[in-house]
Amino acid sequence: MSSFGFSVLFVVFFALTMVLRTWLAARHIRHIARHRASVPAEFAPKVPLAAHQKAADYTVAKTGLGLVGMLWGGAVLIGFTLLGGLQLLSLALLPLTGPGLWHQMALVIAFGVISSLLDLPLDWYRQFVLEQRFGFNKMTPGLWFSDLVKSTIVGAVIGLPLLWVVLTLMDKSGELWWFYTWLVWSGFQLLMIAIYPSVIAPMFNKFSPLEDASLKQRIESLMARVGFASRGLFVMDGSKRSAHGNAYFSGFGRAKRIVFFDTLLSRLEPQEIEAVLAHELGHFKLRHIVKRVAVMFAMSLAFLALLGYLKGQAWFYTGLGVLPFMNVSNDGMALILFMLVLPVFTFPLAPLSSISSRKHEFEADAFAAQHTDSRHLVSALVKMYEDNASTLTPDPLHSAFYDSHPPASVRVKHLTMAGA
């Protein structure tokens, strides 16, 4: 392929992706606006009109902000690639580092820093304007800044050694570098799954043992029925950042732990909490987590193999506004370009991921209905939809592209049928 041909291909896919995402967002906003005036019949007895309208307004606001973020991200992407931003950044760093590994390291780090800084205004607006307007923000500017600093430090401590290993493998391990890198990346992902619950998560939140004895007994009884062993039941102080609530389990093997947001416990009844947990345990017992990790590993192998081909093609660089070095490593630049353009070419495939994820959600709901009363899961979901201002009337096509969970009406209908 010629560099001009790849430039044209990239521009075509970029334009199609931008148009498609804009069209989906516009559909979503119009669909929600048309259904704002009344609560869907199946939810009318349980969801007040005011809550339904708040969810509609919140979703429209988030979608609008997402459009702004998409346009900003698109401009940044074109600026880094076709307008020569990455080329200028590379040339600016070259006198400081010289060519080779350290230049490629510096390039990736500088790109990451600049990208993060460019995202900060929208992140701030999302937290302190949009979330604040709808009553969800509980963060102070100090906590927001503290999280930013801690996440940057943690990212550097973990990411920089990994980056050095990956770039070294790319440069020194021959044509099969992508396979060796995949082995390292897979091991790294498993390590993060193992240490996140006990090492990383406590840096940002406080995790306290569940103290409600009756609720603890109810949950332990459920775990015994389904054959799930956990290191402990914990309550996370999610309320210091947000009014949104959730529950999850993390880790694997003996390190598995179940975590409830304090906001969730304050809103749901014990039998509803049990039903929500039964759904989460369904994901584990039905091996959804293992399947998702396996898919992630398979996709990462395929993408690394593709990068293994592209990094040796001059048109891949020149077609994206970069003049590669001759006889010197371009590996960091290849990584950056690949991460930038991959979403442009893969976005039309997003519904495939949603289909798989929704299948798992239906299966986990069915599992919960087998081990608890499905009516309790329905009532819990309705409360969570209301508390999180999740719209009950998403546009079906927009939902197919973006939502990992089925729409509320479809999900409740399935649960109602399961409990009949």
Side-chain angles (χ1 to χ4, degrees):
M1 180 177 290
S2 67
S3 60
F4 177 74
F6 185 60
S7 295
V8 171
L9 184 65
F10 170 66
V11 169
V12 168
F13 268 85
F14 174 79
L16 287 175
T17 297
M18 296 292 283
V19 170
L20 178 58
R21 292 179 65 182
T22 301
W23 177 67
L24 288 170
R27 280 180 56 102
H28 194 43
I29 290 172
R30 289 196 301 269
H31 189 86
I32 291 172
R34 283 198 300 267
H35 295 85
R36 184 182 183 276
S38 59
V39 181
E42 62 268 38
F43 296 102
K46 299 178 180 179
V47 178
L49 177 60
H52 171 67
Q53 293 179 334
K54 175 185 176 181
D57 296 340
Y58 179 57
T59 304
V60 167
K62 285 198 304 178
T63 305
L65 184 60
L67 269 177
V68 174
M70 180 201 71
L71 294 174
W72 175 239
V76 170
L77 171 60
I78 296 299
F80 270 129
T81 54
L82 299 183
L83 296 182
L86 281 173
Q87 177 72 12
L88 292 175
L89 181 59
S90 177
L91 293 176
L93 293 171
L94 189 59
L96 303 176
T97 63
L101 175 63
W102 295 112
H103 178 259
Q104 298 301 303
M105 285 276 295
L107 180 62
V108 175
I109 294 168
F111 168 77
V113 170
I114 293 171
S115 298
S116 297
L117 291 174
L118 291 174
D119 287 340
L120 279 183
L122 277 178
D123 290 343
W124 178 275
Y125 182 91
R126 182 179 295 105
Q127 188 68 41
F128 292 103
V129 177
L130 192 150
E131 293 289 307
Q132 186 77 30
R133 186 199 317 167
F134 289 94
F136 292 121
N137 176 48
K138 303 298 180 183
M139 293 185 76
T140 64
L143 179 59
W144 185 85
F145 183 75
S146 173
D147 280 354
L148 177 64
V149 171
K150 285 193 288 187
S151 60
T152 301
I153 294 173
V154 170
V157 170
I158 295 174
L160 292 182
L162 178 65
L163 176 62
W164 180 83
V165 170
V166 169
L167 290 177
T168 300
L169 287 172
M170 292 177 75
D171 189 42
K172 304 293 186 182
S173 59
E175 293 184 358
L176 288 178
W177 71 265
W178 53 271
F179 180 71
Y180 305 132
T181 299
W182 176 74
L183 293 177
V184 170
W185 175 253
S186 299
F188 172 77
Q189 291 294 317
L190 292 175
L191 177 63
M192 288 299 101
I193 293 173
I195 70 172
Y196 177 83
S198 57
V199 177
I200 298 176
M203 296 180 184
F204 298 89
N205 287 96
K206 180 180 178 181
F207 294 83
S208 305
L210 179 63
E211 296 181 352
D212 187 325
S214 62
L215 177 59
K216 184 176 181 180
Q217 182 179 11
R218 176 187 287 269
I219 291 171
E220 289 175 343
S221 175
L222 169 66
M223 291 192 298
R225 293 200 306 273
V226 302
F228 182 89
S230 170
R231 176 165 286 187
L233 307 173
F234 296 88
V235 180
M236 190 186 86
D237 60 341
S239 58
K240 75 177 185 179
R241 287 182 173 81
S242 173
H244 295 296
N246 205 350
Y248 67 93
F249 71 86
S250 59
F252 58 84
R254 295 183 178 181
K256 295 193 302 292
R257 55 169 56 187
I258 294 171
V259 178
F260 300 97
F261 284 39
D262 54 359
T263 46
L264 184 77
L265 294 182
S266 66
R267 181 73 168 100
L268 301 186
E269 298 296 327
Q271 64 271 21
E272 294 171 335
I273 296 171
E274 179 186 22
V276 170
L277 180 58
H279 170 90
E280 297 301 327
L281 294 180
H283 285 306
F284 175 80
K285 295 299 294 184
L286 298 172
R287 304 184 69 80
H288 294 162
I289 308 303
V290 173
K291 293 175 183 177
R292 290 174 187 175
V293 170
V295 169
M296 178 183 70
F297 285 171
M299 291 182 64
S300 63
L301 179 62
F303 287 141
L304 281 169
L306 177 59
L307 178 57
Y309 166 73
L310 291 175
K311 94 178 188 80
Q313 308 301 315
W315 54 260
F316 175 63
Y317 302 91
T318 54
L320 294 172
V322 172
L323 292 175
F325 293 115
M326 300 299 294
N327 303 318
V328 181
S329 169
N330 295 285
D331 298 330
M333 183 67 79
L335 278 176
I336 295 171
L337 291 174
F338 190 72
M339 289 187 296
L340 282 173
V341 304
L342 185 63
V344 172
F345 290 100
T346 57
F347 178 75
L349 303 177
L352 297 179
S353 175
S354 295
I355 290 172
S356 175
S357 178
R358 291 181 182 205
K359 179 176 181 293
H360 288 170
E361 293 303 323
F362 284 131
E363 291 173 352
D365 280 349
F367 181 90
Q370 291 175 0
H371 296 278
T372 62
D373 191 327
S374 62
R375 292 172 299 180
H376 295 154
L377 182 55
V378 169
S379 62
L381 289 173
V382 170
K383 288 181 180 179
M384 293 169 70
Y385 289 138
E386 180 179 346
D387 292 349
N388 292 324
S390 300
T391 181
L392 301 174
T393 57
D395 173 65
L397 194 55
H398 182 278
S399 181
F401 269 83
Y402 289 100
D403 295 343
S404 60
H405 288 59
S409 58
V410 176
R411 191 173 178 187
V412 167
K413 180 179 179 181
H414 274 250
L415 277 168
T416 302
M417 292 173 60

